[in-house]
Amino acid sequence: MLELLTSKTLVADGAIGTELLKRSNEKFPEILNFTNPQLVESLHIDYTNAGADIITTNSFGANPARLKSTKINIYELNKTSAQLARKVNLSNKLIFGSVGPSGLKPGDEEFKKLADYYFEQIRGLADGGVNAILIETMIFIEEMKIVCEVARNVTKLPLALSMSFHKTKNGFKTYAGVDLKIAVKEMLKLGAEIIGANCGNGFAEMVDIAKNFKSITKEIPVLVKPSAGTPRKINNDLIYPDTPETIPEFVRKLVDIGINIIGGCCGTTPEHIKVIRKIVDETAQK
Protein backbone atom coordinates (compact mmCIF):
# COMPACT_ATOMS: atom_id res chain seq x y z
CA MET A 1 0.00 0.00 0.00
CA LEU A 2 2.79 2.43 0.88
CA GLU A 3 4.40 1.93 -2.54
CA LEU A 4 1.09 2.96 -4.10
CA LEU A 5 1.00 6.11 -1.96
CA THR A 6 4.42 7.26 -3.07
CA SER A 7 3.90 6.47 -6.75
CA LYS A 8 0.87 8.69 -7.40
CA THR A 9 -1.71 10.95 -5.79
CA LEU A 10 -4.65 8.98 -4.42
CA VAL A 11 -8.18 10.32 -4.08
CA ALA A 12 -10.05 9.65 -0.84
CA ASP A 13 -13.79 9.85 -0.43
CA GLY A 14 -15.67 12.80 1.07
CA ALA A 15 -17.81 13.24 4.15
CA ILE A 16 -19.57 10.20 5.56
CA GLY A 17 -21.34 11.62 8.62
CA THR A 18 -22.75 14.84 7.14
CA GLU A 19 -23.91 13.02 4.01
CA LEU A 20 -25.69 10.30 6.00
CA LEU A 21 -27.30 12.93 8.22
CA LYS A 22 -28.63 14.61 5.06
CA ARG A 23 -30.01 11.33 3.78
CA SER A 24 -31.62 10.12 7.03
CA ASN A 25 -33.14 11.20 10.35
CA GLU A 26 -30.68 9.21 12.45
CA LYS A 27 -28.97 11.21 15.23
CA PHE A 28 -25.95 8.88 15.22
CA PRO A 29 -25.03 8.06 11.60
CA GLU A 30 -22.90 5.09 12.69
CA ILE A 31 -26.03 3.25 13.86
CA LEU A 32 -27.19 3.15 10.24
CA ASN A 33 -24.72 0.29 9.77
CA PHE A 34 -27.32 -1.80 11.63
CA THR A 35 -30.60 -0.04 10.91
CA ASN A 36 -30.16 0.95 7.25
CA PRO A 37 -27.08 -0.72 5.77
CA GLN A 38 -28.37 -0.14 2.23
CA LEU A 39 -28.12 3.63 2.79
CA VAL A 40 -24.50 3.32 3.95
CA GLU A 41 -23.70 1.07 0.98
CA SER A 42 -25.26 3.55 -1.44
CA LEU A 43 -23.02 6.35 -0.14
CA HIS A 44 -19.93 4.17 -0.51
CA ILE A 45 -21.04 3.37 -4.06
CA ASP A 46 -21.54 7.07 -4.82
CA TYR A 47 -17.98 7.82 -3.72
CA THR A 48 -16.63 4.83 -5.63
CA ASN A 49 -18.40 6.03 -8.77
CA ALA A 50 -17.04 9.54 -8.16
CA GLY A 51 -13.53 8.12 -8.49
CA ALA A 52 -12.33 7.63 -4.91
CA ASP A 53 -9.37 5.28 -4.49
CA ILE A 54 -9.96 5.14 -0.72
CA ILE A 55 -13.30 4.40 0.95
CA THR A 56 -13.73 5.30 4.63
CA THR A 57 -15.86 3.23 6.98
CA ASN A 58 -18.94 4.68 8.67
CA SER A 59 -17.36 4.36 12.12
CA PHE A 60 -16.06 7.84 13.01
CA GLY A 61 -18.03 8.12 16.26
CA ALA A 62 -18.52 4.40 16.85
CA ASN A 63 -16.99 4.39 20.32
CA PRO A 64 -18.56 3.91 23.79
CA ALA A 65 -18.04 7.54 24.83
CA ARG A 66 -20.14 8.88 21.97
CA LEU A 67 -22.71 6.08 21.85
CA LYS A 68 -23.12 5.39 25.58
CA SER A 69 -26.84 6.21 25.44
CA THR A 70 -27.47 3.51 22.83
CA LYS A 71 -26.14 0.39 24.65
CA ILE A 72 -25.00 -0.87 21.25
CA ASN A 73 -22.35 -3.54 20.60
CA ILE A 74 -19.31 -1.43 19.65
CA TYR A 75 -17.26 -4.31 18.27
CA GLU A 76 -20.04 -5.54 15.97
CA LEU A 77 -20.93 -2.01 14.86
CA ASN A 78 -17.38 -1.35 13.71
CA LYS A 79 -16.95 -4.78 12.15
CA THR A 80 -20.16 -4.22 10.19
CA SER A 81 -18.95 -0.78 9.02
CA ALA A 82 -15.86 -2.41 7.53
CA GLN A 83 -17.87 -5.21 5.94
CA LEU A 84 -20.27 -2.73 4.33
CA ALA A 85 -17.36 -0.79 2.84
CA ARG A 86 -15.76 -3.98 1.58
CA LYS A 87 -19.07 -5.14 0.10
CA VAL A 88 -19.09 -2.31 -2.44
CA ASN A 89 -15.34 -2.31 -2.92
CA LEU A 90 -14.02 -2.65 -6.45
CA SER A 91 -10.55 -3.84 -7.38
CA ASN A 92 -7.65 -1.60 -6.37
CA LYS A 93 -9.72 0.31 -3.78
CA LEU A 94 -8.45 0.71 -0.22
CA ILE A 95 -10.68 0.63 2.88
CA PHE A 96 -9.66 2.95 5.74
CA GLY A 97 -11.21 2.25 9.13
CA SER A 98 -12.26 5.60 10.61
CA VAL A 99 -11.57 6.23 14.30
CA GLY A 100 -12.65 9.67 15.49
CA PRO A 101 -12.16 11.45 18.83
CA SER A 102 -14.10 10.42 21.91
CA GLY A 103 -15.22 13.94 22.77
CA LEU A 104 -13.52 13.59 26.15
CA LYS A 105 -10.76 15.83 27.53
CA PRO A 106 -7.54 14.62 29.19
CA GLY A 107 -8.73 15.98 32.54
CA ASP A 108 -12.01 14.06 32.47
CA GLU A 109 -12.33 11.06 34.79
CA GLU A 110 -13.71 8.97 31.93
CA PHE A 111 -10.61 9.74 29.84
CA LYS A 112 -8.89 6.95 31.79
CA LYS A 113 -11.14 4.44 30.03
CA LEU A 114 -10.08 5.43 26.51
CA ALA A 115 -7.80 2.47 25.90
CA ASP A 116 -10.67 0.06 26.61
CA TYR A 117 -13.06 2.14 24.49
CA TYR A 118 -10.81 2.17 21.46
CA PHE A 119 -9.80 -1.47 21.81
CA GLU A 120 -13.27 -2.70 20.84
CA GLN A 121 -13.58 -0.19 17.99
CA ILE A 122 -10.24 -0.96 16.37
CA ARG A 123 -10.61 -4.72 16.88
CA GLY A 124 -13.94 -4.57 15.07
CA LEU A 125 -12.51 -2.60 12.15
CA ALA A 126 -9.53 -4.93 11.82
CA ASP A 127 -11.70 -8.07 11.95
CA GLY A 128 -14.04 -6.49 9.40
CA GLY A 129 -11.21 -6.34 6.88
CA VAL A 130 -9.99 -2.74 6.57
CA ASN A 131 -6.65 -2.06 4.88
CA ALA A 132 -5.55 0.66 7.32
CA ILE A 133 -6.69 2.39 10.50
CA LEU A 134 -7.40 6.11 10.05
CA ILE A 135 -7.21 7.94 13.39
CA GLU A 136 -8.70 11.29 12.43
CA THR A 137 -9.87 14.71 13.63
CA MET A 138 -7.69 14.48 16.73
CA ILE A 139 -7.08 17.67 18.73
CA PHE A 140 -5.36 16.28 21.85
CA ILE A 141 -1.89 14.72 21.62
CA GLU A 142 -2.72 12.63 24.70
CA GLU A 143 -5.73 11.02 23.03
CA MET A 144 -3.90 10.42 19.76
CA LYS A 145 -1.12 8.61 21.63
CA ILE A 146 -3.60 6.35 23.40
CA VAL A 147 -5.44 5.43 20.20
CA CYS A 148 -2.18 4.81 18.37
CA GLU A 149 -0.88 2.53 21.15
CA VAL A 150 -4.12 0.55 21.17
CA ALA A 151 -4.03 0.19 17.38
CA ARG A 152 -0.44 -1.05 17.45
CA ASN A 153 -1.39 -3.65 20.07
CA VAL A 154 -4.51 -4.80 18.23
CA THR A 155 -3.31 -4.98 14.63
CA LYS A 156 -0.33 -4.81 12.31
CA LEU A 157 -2.29 -2.70 9.81
CA PRO A 158 -0.77 0.61 8.65
CA LEU A 159 -1.83 3.65 10.66
CA ALA A 160 -2.82 7.06 9.35
CA LEU A 161 -2.83 9.85 11.94
CA SER A 162 -4.77 13.01 11.12
CA MET A 163 -5.34 16.06 13.31
CA SER A 164 -7.69 19.00 12.87
CA PHE A 165 -6.30 22.55 12.78
CA HIS A 166 -7.58 26.09 12.47
CA LYS A 167 -5.83 29.39 11.86
CA THR A 168 -5.08 31.62 14.85
CA LYS A 169 -3.11 34.85 15.21
CA ASN A 170 -0.21 32.65 16.33
CA GLY A 171 -0.39 30.22 13.42
CA PHE A 172 -2.21 26.94 12.94
CA LYS A 173 -3.27 25.08 16.07
CA THR A 174 -5.68 22.32 16.95
CA TYR A 175 -8.88 23.36 18.73
CA ALA A 176 -7.17 22.22 21.94
CA GLY A 177 -4.34 24.69 21.30
CA VAL A 178 -1.64 22.31 20.04
CA ASP A 179 0.72 24.03 17.59
CA LEU A 180 0.85 22.42 14.14
CA LYS A 181 4.62 21.92 14.14
CA ILE A 182 4.51 20.23 17.55
CA ALA A 183 1.59 18.07 16.39
CA VAL A 184 3.43 16.93 13.25
CA LYS A 185 6.56 16.07 15.23
CA GLU A 186 4.45 14.01 17.66
CA MET A 187 2.81 12.16 14.75
CA LEU A 188 6.25 11.34 13.36
CA LYS A 189 7.40 10.10 16.78
CA LEU A 190 4.44 7.72 16.88
CA GLY A 191 5.70 6.13 13.68
CA ALA A 192 2.53 6.40 11.63
CA GLU A 193 2.78 5.26 8.02
CA ILE A 194 0.65 8.26 6.93
CA ILE A 195 0.15 11.63 8.64
CA GLY A 196 -2.11 14.53 7.79
CA ALA A 197 -4.93 16.92 8.55
CA ASN A 198 -8.66 16.82 8.11
CA CYS A 199 -11.75 18.91 8.78
CA GLY A 200 -10.83 22.52 9.66
CA ASN A 201 -12.21 25.52 7.79
CA GLY A 202 -12.03 24.69 4.12
CA PHE A 203 -9.89 24.03 1.06
CA ALA A 204 -8.02 27.37 0.96
CA GLU A 205 -6.87 27.01 4.55
CA MET A 206 -5.88 23.40 3.97
CA VAL A 207 -3.43 24.49 1.29
CA ASP A 208 -1.50 26.47 3.90
CA ILE A 209 -1.70 23.57 6.34
CA ALA A 210 -0.38 21.21 3.66
CA LYS A 211 2.58 23.53 2.99
CA ASN A 212 3.42 23.44 6.69
CA PHE A 213 3.35 19.63 6.73
CA LYS A 214 5.61 19.37 3.70
CA SER A 215 8.05 21.89 5.16
CA ILE A 216 8.54 19.62 8.17
CA THR A 217 8.70 16.24 6.45
CA LYS A 218 9.01 15.04 2.88
CA GLU A 219 9.56 11.38 3.75
CA ILE A 220 6.13 10.34 5.07
CA PRO A 221 3.00 10.27 2.88
CA VAL A 222 0.64 13.15 3.74
CA LEU A 223 -3.15 12.99 3.70
CA VAL A 224 -5.52 15.98 3.64
CA LYS A 225 -9.32 15.93 3.84
CA PRO A 226 -10.56 19.53 4.10
CA SER A 227 -14.12 20.31 5.04
CA ALA A 228 -16.26 22.37 2.67
CA GLY A 229 -15.71 25.49 4.76
CA THR A 230 -17.62 26.80 7.77
CA PRO A 231 -21.35 26.21 7.25
CA ARG A 232 -24.19 28.68 7.70
CA LYS A 233 -27.67 27.63 8.74
CA ILE A 234 -30.30 28.67 6.21
CA ASN A 235 -33.90 27.45 6.62
CA ASN A 236 -32.72 24.67 8.98
CA ASP A 237 -30.19 23.49 6.38
CA LEU A 238 -26.42 23.71 6.79
CA ILE A 239 -24.97 25.41 3.71
CA TYR A 240 -21.25 24.94 3.11
CA PRO A 241 -19.41 27.68 1.16
CA ASP A 242 -16.84 25.46 -0.59
CA THR A 243 -18.88 24.09 -3.47
CA PRO A 244 -17.51 21.76 -6.16
CA GLU A 245 -17.26 24.82 -8.43
CA THR A 246 -15.05 26.82 -6.01
CA ILE A 247 -12.42 24.22 -5.10
CA PRO A 248 -10.43 23.45 -8.31
CA GLU A 249 -7.68 26.04 -7.80
CA PHE A 250 -7.03 24.77 -4.27
CA VAL A 251 -7.04 21.13 -5.30
CA ARG A 252 -4.45 21.95 -7.99
CA LYS A 253 -2.28 23.62 -5.35
CA LEU A 254 -2.54 20.55 -3.10
CA VAL A 255 -1.43 18.33 -5.98
CA ASP A 256 1.45 20.71 -6.79
CA ILE A 257 2.57 20.68 -3.16
CA GLY A 258 2.91 16.92 -3.43
CA ILE A 259 0.12 15.75 -1.15
CA ASN A 260 -0.27 11.98 -1.44
CA ILE A 261 -3.96 11.58 -0.51
CA ILE A 262 -6.64 14.23 -1.16
CA GLY A 263 -10.25 13.81 -0.09
CA GLY A 264 -12.93 15.69 1.78
CA CYS A 265 -14.44 16.02 5.25
CA CYS A 266 -17.58 17.69 6.62
CA GLY A 267 -19.87 19.09 3.94
CA THR A 268 -18.06 17.52 0.99
CA THR A 269 -20.06 15.29 -1.34
CA PRO A 270 -19.51 12.85 -4.21
CA GLU A 271 -19.60 15.91 -6.50
CA HIS A 272 -16.56 17.36 -4.70
CA ILE A 273 -14.74 14.05 -5.13
CA LYS A 274 -15.50 14.03 -8.87
CA VAL A 275 -13.74 17.40 -9.14
CA ILE A 276 -10.72 16.16 -7.19
CA ARG A 277 -10.54 13.01 -9.33
CA LYS A 278 -10.65 15.04 -12.53
CA ILE A 279 -7.86 17.39 -11.43
CA VAL A 280 -5.64 14.58 -10.12
CA ASP A 281 -6.02 12.71 -13.43
CA GLU A 282 -5.35 15.83 -15.51
CA THR A 283 -2.19 16.55 -13.53
CA ALA A 284 -0.95 12.97 -13.93
CA GLN A 285 -1.23 13.26 -17.71
CA LYS A 286 1.01 16.32 -17.93
Side-chain angles (χ1 to χ4, degrees):
M1 185 183 78
L2 295 180
E3 290 180 2
L4 186 62
L5 288 175
T6 55
S7 63
K8 63 178 182 178
T9 304
L10 298 184
V11 177
D13 55 8
I16 300 295
T18 57
E19 275 298 286
L20 289 175
L21 289 171
K22 281 196 318 188
R23 302 181 186 198
S24 75
N25 295 317
E26 177 55 63
K27 179 181 178 183
F28 301 108
E30 295 82 6
I31 292 178
L32 293 168
N33 296 330
F34 284 166
T35 61
N36 195 346
Q38 295 84 4
L39 183 63
V40 179
E41 287 177 33
S42 69
L43 179 58
H44 290 323
I45 290 170
D46 287 347
Y47 280 128
T48 298
N49 291 339
D53 301 303
I54 297 169
I55 301 299
T56 311
T57 57
N58 178 36
S59 56
F60 177 83
N63 65 66
R66 289 188 178 272
L67 299 180
K68 64 175 66 176
S69 64
T70 66
K71 308 298 182 184
I72 206 160
N73 186 310
I74 296 299
Y75 168 82
E76 290 295 339
L77 185 65
N78 282 277
K79 183 177 180 181
T80 301
S81 76
Q83 291 172 333
L84 289 174
R86 288 193 62 82
K87 189 175 180 181
V88 300
N89 186 28
L90 301 176
S91 61
N92 299 321
K93 303 291 182 185
L94 298 171
I95 307 297
F96 278 20
S98 172
V99 179
S102 63
L104 300 172
K105 299 177 182 178
D108 295 340
E109 183 65 24
E110 196 177 0
F111 195 83
K112 297 174 184 177
K113 300 179 181 179
L114 279 191
D116 291 335
Y117 286 176
Y118 283 119
F119 177 81
E120 286 302 296
Q121 182 174 15
I122 294 171
R123 188 168 70 91
L125 291 170
D127 288 352
V130 300
N131 300 110
I133 302 295
L134 171 61
I135 299 166
E136 60 178 334
T137 326
M138 291 285 143
I139 63 172
F140 294 106
I141 296 292
E142 297 92 335
E143 182 167 22
M144 184 172 66
K145 285 181 176 179
I146 291 170
V147 191
C148 189
E149 182 178 359
V150 171
R152 291 298 191 200
N153 288 333
V154 170
T155 177
K156 297 185 184 302
L157 290 170
L159 296 188
L161 300 183
S162 180
M163 300 193 78
S164 183
F165 303 93
H166 69 125
K167 195 170 187 176
T168 74
K169 62 181 181 181
N170 296 314
F172 286 104
K173 298 181 183 294
T174 72
Y175 289 91
V178 181
D179 182 78
L180 183 146
K181 291 183 179 179
I182 292 173
V184 173
K185 289 176 181 177
E186 289 294 334
M187 284 189 251
L188 293 173
K189 282 182 187 178
L190 290 169
E193 283 77 9
I194 304 165
I195 63 172
N198 73 291
C199 214
N201 293 321
F203 279 75
E205 200 164 272
M206 191 61 82
V207 170
D208 291 332
I209 291 171
K211 289 177 180 176
N212 275 272
F213 266 78
K214 282 296 188 177
S215 72
I216 299 169
T217 177
K218 293 180 172 57
E219 305 300 321
I220 303 296
V222 174
L223 166 153
V224 298
K225 296 185 76 173
S227 65
T230 303
R232 291 180 298 140
K233 197 166 188 177
I234 301 176
N235 297 326
N236 292 321
D237 292 324
L238 287 178
I239 306 300
Y240 289 84
D242 287 10
T243 65
E245 293 75 25
T246 65
I247 67 171
E249 67 170 297
F250 305 112
V251 176
R252 290 189 185 94
K253 288 178 180 178
L254 290 170
V255 174
D256 290 342
I257 292 167
I259 297 304
N260 305 87
I261 300 173
I262 304 173
C265 202
C266 300
T268 58
T269 68
E271 294 305 313
H272 288 81
I273 302 310
K274 286 180 182 177
V275 172
I276 296 173
R277 175 83 270 165
K278 182 174 183 291
I279 292 171
V280 167
D281 288 346
E282 288 175 349
T283 305
Q285 294 171 5
K286 290 181 180 178

